[in-house]
């Protein structure tokens, strides 16, 4: 059907399409479609053939070079008429008696005359006449720009007197073409052009090999079957090449003359057929006709030619920008550095964007995949085979290697399908058995002429069991209905422990931490205590927590005055009573106090955190640093001084606005290690601000433990009401943690399954779910599916919140226990934050990037969604709910720029903090709904792009020397004592600051 992209026998297409075919060829030569040298698109074909002739007719590259030529000519045809394809003439049939003697290709309305009538040439034959009567040929003595503009002739030209194309069609050709200057009357007697080509009887290629006839398709394609893979192409080419040579001789005239044959449009009907036969050979290369080979090797660029005859690795002139041996210089438009043909569209060169030097030049060899993969012909069979890259070796294997406990890995059987003319269906006909399962079958592969080689994937699943175990070997058979092939795969899997992380909390204790935290009524140190305590209570068992403190300096974990905590493993998920590791982490947070005399050296804190974390290896697969600070670094070493030494993923929370913390340096630090910076901006008394720092810590915890945030809302609940907070879990979720944070511990918290069953503390104990109570914290953690009803998993769940009125009234009366609530007014309700996290096979990773930190910066958001490690391909939408620095809001849509990758950008017009809530919603492979969310912050402020502060070389040592000298002076000591300053303690502090800093270990 015209327009479907399939190349067909020219005798079988409609008359309308044959007419369109002729019209398009004429348009390529009528002067409307030209290059900058004035050559028409059709004239250029002859010079292309001339430039590439030496390589194009040298060995194995012959087939590839001419395939590229045909592909490019088809692209040019489609400039003239986009509905056309480069059809072929089946050269085993008489071109004058096709379709039951109803179709003659050599007429004045189709391909022109055959040279049998109106003989005017001295050496027999005739001009083709209409419709190609103006089509020229290369003539000796004429001037050609390609040869420098002189009157010298090419090394070969058409026979004397031939200025336009001519033919002398007949069956009795005897002289191999491409070796002489056309036929003479002795070789081609008058009247010998009445018959069709000489075709060998089925079963032999005698005449084709002798270049005196052609073979049947089947004989040509199967001639080398059973031979070794290394030699098959060479022997196949002998029979096909002989038939090609005979056909040039059979048409004769211009087509029988070396170097000028492309002047005749019939050349392309011949070479399209040549290419068709090669395609048929390629698509039938299997293990059954090639000893020791895999199915599909005919489409493998590294195997299809067998051994290299020396021509396979040479790039193709003139398209590579070289002239070949017959021209003095590169052929326009393939001239290095030229952009003269930028506006030309010949189907391949098409640029409307301005001057792009060299954009027309493409360097290809015979093994280029775009050449090896054939175009679609109506005779192409489907070729279905196991992908050799995904499944190398003699035994195709699907490996589920190193799958963490509880996680499900997704792996595919990858099968390549070449199809032009029929849909291909792949089905699992046998297996697999546990522990392996079918996750997703492959849809039928529809023919696609633009990209006939497609990849089908049938997905299988394996869920990790017990760490250190190897699953039994399995097997699965996939059947192709159309080709009746069976593909057998071996399945293997093993389980490793769930990855754990060692987290080093790096906490600011400078004097400013005693300052108010915005208008919350709390000190900054209080905000840190609340969030840090929450972090230590929620972190899952088998992960590790450590803590280092910094002000003017960073303090080792064993410092007697400001001790921290070396990385300590959490042994249990129980909060009350905590295990020794969790208790040590909670105590370290509680002991973190402000040093009123301390300045801020974030760089020293980060470097000490890195050095403390570096030797920790046993039991933890990952490492991360979390920095919490409220100010600008003002003491060396600066972040920029140590930036290149930090090799652990680093996150930071900045308590304040963009100009109150070291935003630029912290952004550089976190972005450079795969983490991110979250800024609180100025905290207020509203509910969102109240929980914000705690939510930041929870989000970072989720990030470092490969856990996803499903939902994260805040609100207020009044006595006497039940607030349902719906959230969605799906079939790819493994376990869920539902957390409730409140400002006062007076809320009953339960979970409702999609079927309506209620999980409360008593039910949780009976179904293996965890129920834990911490400081203003309650959480449930349960593995999916939950053993209630038929097993609760995918669907809409609800977190049910209800004020415990007895507790609520008691807390309202005992205001000492409710300072924060009383501060905000009457006890009208309880503020809450619900956070739903899932350890899941559906994951979202979102990041924010800025090209500047000044107002006017472009902020780019990028979110990546995966399921079982594969892109969530066009099954989700992502939006960003933006809160601007002035408190206004807007919503941005993220476009799916590639499978599973979403992006958008906005401009930071006004200075301040930009907070983005990234929300994704979509469907799993099995059709279950899911949601994911994450918060990111950006910032813009005057001076944001100033160079990061660093420590001038030698400055610190000189300053220390000066201060220590002053403090040793008795007069300075008396002066300080008179003003109530402890000179001894101050001297101790200065010496501490002036000790050698923490170098990279």
């Amino acid at each position: 059907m015209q327009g479907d992209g399939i190349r067909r026998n020219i005798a079988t297409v409609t008359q309308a399409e044959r007419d369109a075919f002729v019209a398009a060829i004429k348009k390529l030569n009528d002067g409307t479609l030209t290059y900058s040298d004035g050559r028409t698109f059709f004239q250029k074909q002859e010079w292309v053939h001339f430039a590439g002739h030496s390589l194009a007719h040298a060995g194995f590259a012959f087939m590839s070079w001419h395939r590229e030529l045909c592909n490019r000519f088809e692209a040019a045809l489609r400039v003239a008429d986009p509905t056309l394809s480069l059809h072929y003439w089946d050269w085993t049939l008489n071109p004058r008696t096709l379709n039951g003697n109803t179709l003659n290709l050599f007429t004045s309305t189709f391909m022109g005359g055959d040279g049998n009538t109106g003989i005017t040439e001295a050496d027999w034959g005739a001009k083709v006449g209409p419709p190609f009567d103006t089509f020229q040929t290369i003539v000796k003595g004429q001037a050609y720009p390609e040869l420098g503009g002189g009157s010298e002739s090419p090394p070969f030209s058409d026979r004397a007197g031939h200025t336009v194309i001519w033919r002398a069609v007949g069956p009795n050709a005897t002289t191999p073409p491409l070796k002489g200057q056309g036929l003479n009357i002795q070789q081609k007697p008058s009247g010998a052009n009445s018959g069709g080509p000489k075709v060998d009887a089925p079963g032999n290629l005698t005449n084709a090999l002798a270049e005196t006839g052609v073979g049947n398709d089947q004989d040509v394609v199967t001639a080398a079957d059973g031979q070794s893979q290394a030699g098959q192409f060479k022997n196949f080419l002998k029979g096909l090449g002989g038939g090609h040579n005979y056909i040039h001789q059979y048409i004769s005239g211009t087509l029988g003359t070396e170097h000028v044959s492309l002047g005749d449009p019939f050349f392309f009907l011949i070479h399209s057929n040549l290419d068709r036969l090669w395609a048929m050979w390629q698509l039938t290369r299997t293990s059954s006709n090639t000893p020791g080979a895999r199915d599909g090797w005919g489409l493998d660029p590294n195997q299809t030619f067998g051994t290299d005859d020396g021509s396979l690795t040479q790039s193709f002139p003139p398209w590579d920008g070289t002239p070949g041996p017959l021209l003095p210089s590169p052929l326009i438009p393939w001239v290095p550095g030229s952009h003269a043909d930028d506006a030309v569209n010949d189907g391949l060169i098409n640029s409307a964007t301005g001057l792009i030097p060299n954009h027309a030049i493409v360097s290809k060899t015979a093994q280029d995949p775009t050449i090896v993969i054939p175009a679609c012909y109506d005779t192409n069979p489907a070729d279905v085979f196991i992908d050799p890259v995904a499944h190398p070796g003699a035994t195709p294997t699907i490996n589920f290697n190193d799958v963490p406990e509880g996680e499900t890995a997704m792996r595919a059987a990858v099968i390549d399908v070449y199809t032009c003319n029929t849909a291909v269906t792949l089905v699992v006909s046998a297996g697999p058995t546990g522990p392996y399962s079918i996750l997703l079958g492959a849809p039928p592969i529809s023919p696609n002429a633009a990209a006939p080689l497609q990849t089908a994937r049938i997905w299988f699943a394996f869920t990790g069991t017990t760490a250190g175990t190897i699953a039994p070997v399995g097997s699965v058979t996939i059947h192709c209905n159309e080709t009746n092939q069976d593909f057998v795969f071996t399945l293997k899997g093993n389980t490793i422990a769930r990855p754990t992380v060692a987290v080093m909390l790096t906490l600011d204790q400078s004097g400013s931490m005693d300052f108010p935290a915005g208008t919350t009524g709390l000190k900054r140190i209080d905000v840190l205590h609340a969030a840090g305590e929450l972090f230590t209570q929620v972190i899952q068992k088998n992960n590790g927590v450590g803590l280092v403190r910094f002000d003017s300096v960073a303090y080792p974990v064993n410092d007697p005055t400001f001790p921290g905590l070396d990385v300590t493993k959490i042994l249990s998920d129980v909060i009350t009573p905590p295990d020794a590791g969790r208790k040590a982490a909670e105590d370290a947070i509680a002991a973190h106090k402000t040093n009123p005399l301390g300045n801020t050296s974030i760089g020293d804190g980060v470097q000490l955190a890195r050095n403390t974390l570096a030797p920790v290896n046993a039991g933890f697969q990952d490492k991360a640093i979390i920095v919490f600070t409220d100010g600008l670094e003002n003491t060396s070493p600066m972040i920029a001084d140590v930036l290149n030494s930090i090799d652990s993923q680093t996150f930071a929370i900045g308590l304040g606005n963009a100009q109150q913390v070291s935003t630029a340096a912290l952004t550089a630090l976190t972005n450079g290690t795969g983490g991110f910076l979250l800024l609180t901006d100025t905290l207020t008394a509203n509910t969102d601000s109240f929980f914000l720092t705690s939510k930041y810590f929870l989000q970072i915890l989720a990030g470092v433990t490969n856990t996803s945030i499903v939902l994260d809302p805040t609100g207020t609940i009044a006595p006497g009401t039940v607030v349902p907070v719906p959230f969605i879990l799906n079939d790819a979720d493994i376990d869920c943690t539902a957390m409730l944070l409140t400002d006062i511990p007076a809320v009953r918290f339960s979970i409702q399954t999609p079927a309506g069953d209620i999980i409360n503390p008593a039910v949780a104990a009976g179904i293996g779910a965890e129920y834990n109570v911490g400081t203003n914290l309650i959480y449930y953690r349960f593995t999916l599916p939950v053993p209630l009803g038929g097993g609760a998993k995918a669907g809409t769940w609800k977190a049910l919140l209800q004020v415990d009125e007895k507790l609520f009234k008691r807390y309202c009366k005992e205001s000492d226990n409710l300072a924060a609530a009383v501060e905000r007014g009457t006890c009208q309700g309880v503020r809450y934050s619900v956070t739903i996290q899932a350890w899941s096979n559906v994951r979202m990773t979102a990041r924010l990037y800025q090209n500047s930190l000044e107002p006017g910066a472009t902020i780019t958001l990028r979110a990546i969604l995966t399921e079982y490690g594969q892109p969530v391909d066009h099954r989700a939408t992502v939006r960003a709910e933006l809160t601007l620095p002035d408190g206004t809001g807007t919503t941005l849509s993220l476009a799916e720029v590639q499978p599973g990758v979403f992006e958008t950008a906005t401009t930071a017009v006004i200075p301040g903090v930009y907070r983005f809530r990234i929300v994704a919603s979509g469907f799993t492979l099995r059709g279950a709904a899911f949601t994911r969310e994450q918060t990111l912050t950006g910032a813009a402020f005057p001076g944001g792009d100033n160079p990061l502060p660093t420590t001038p070389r030698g400055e610190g040592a000189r300053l220390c020397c000066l201060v220590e000298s002053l403090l040793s002076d008795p007069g300075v000591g008396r002066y300080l004592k008179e003003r109530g300053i402890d000179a001894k303690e101050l001297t101790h502090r200065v010496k501490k600051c002036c000790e050698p800093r923490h170098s990279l270990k």
Side-chain angles (χ1 to χ4, degrees), residues 762-816:
V763 172
I767 62 173
E770 298 175 21
Y771 173 78
N772 276 300
V773 179
T775 305
N776 292 350
L777 163 71
I778 303 173
Y779 78 78
Y780 293 89
R781 182 173 291 147
F782 46 87
T783 301
L784 297 167
V786 171
L788 287 175
K793 188 167 186 178
T796 300
W797 297 60
K798 292 179 182 177
L800 302 178
L801 315 181
Q802 184 177 18
V803 172
D804 184 323
E805 296 192 26
K806 184 177 180 180
L807 284 174
F808 181 72
K809 290 176 181 177
R810 189 180 70 173
Y811 270 89
C812 281
K813 290 178 181 178
E814 299 174 5
S815 58
D816 289 344

Side-chain angles (χ1 to χ4, degrees), residues 6-10 21 63 66-67 69-71 73-74 77 85-91 240 244 265-280 375-380:
I6 295 178
R7 299 177 184 177
R8 291 184 168 84
N9 187 332
I10 194 67
F21 187 79
M63 295 298 295
H66 282 87
R67 175 172 284 177
L69 177 72
C70 287
N71 291 345
F73 183 70
E74 183 176 66
L77 270 180
S85 296
L86 180 53
H87 300 307
Y88 63 91
W89 163 51
D90 180 353
W91 62 39
L240 181 61
H244 157 266
F266 206 84
F267 173 97
F268 290 100
L269 295 180
I270 293 173
H271 273 267
S272 185
N273 191 61
L274 180 81
D275 187 66
R276 176 184 69 91
L277 291 168
W278 182 27
M280 289 178 64
C376 275
Y377 290 91
D378 55 359
T379 56
N380 283 4

Side-chain angles (χ1 to χ4, degrees), residues 352-516:
T353 58
L355 305 183
I356 310 174
N358 302 331
H359 78 287
I361 295 174
V362 178
S363 183
K364 292 184 180 182
T365 69
Q367 294 175 298
D368 191 288
T370 64
I371 297 175
V372 172
I373 305 304
C376 275
Y377 290 91
D378 55 359
T379 56
N380 283 4
D383 191 10
V384 184
F385 54 95
I386 295 173
D387 185 273
V389 176
H391 306 286
T395 303
T397 302
I398 301 173
N399 276 312
F400 296 91
N401 53 306
D402 296 342
V403 179
E405 289 178 294
E407 286 195 31
T408 298
M410 177 178 174
R411 302 285 189 272
V414 184
I415 296 178
D416 293 328
V417 178
Y418 180 103
T419 183
C420 294
N421 302 297
T422 183
V424 170
T425 307
L426 298 167
V427 295
V428 176
S429 59
T433 58
Y436 312 99
S437 62
I438 302 171
L439 185 65
L440 193 67
I445 306 299
S446 299
N448 181 357
L453 182 61
Q454 304 177 63
T455 299
R457 288 180 172 85
I458 297 180
W459 294 95
F460 300 92
F462 169 75
T463 300
T465 53
T466 303
T469 60
I470 298 175
V473 175
S475 177
V476 64
T477 301
I478 298 171
H479 181 75
C480 178
N481 292 337
E482 290 70 26
T483 62
N484 198 32
Q485 292 171 273
D486 285 317
F487 305 101
V488 180
F489 292 84
T490 296
L491 305 173
K492 297 180 179 180
N494 72 287
T495 302
I496 61 173
R498 179 178 176 177
T500 56
V501 62
V503 181
M504 184 60 66
L505 300 175
T506 309
L507 306 182
D508 193 341
Q509 63 173 28
S510 59
S512 59
M513 287 294 289
D514 272 340
F515 292 1

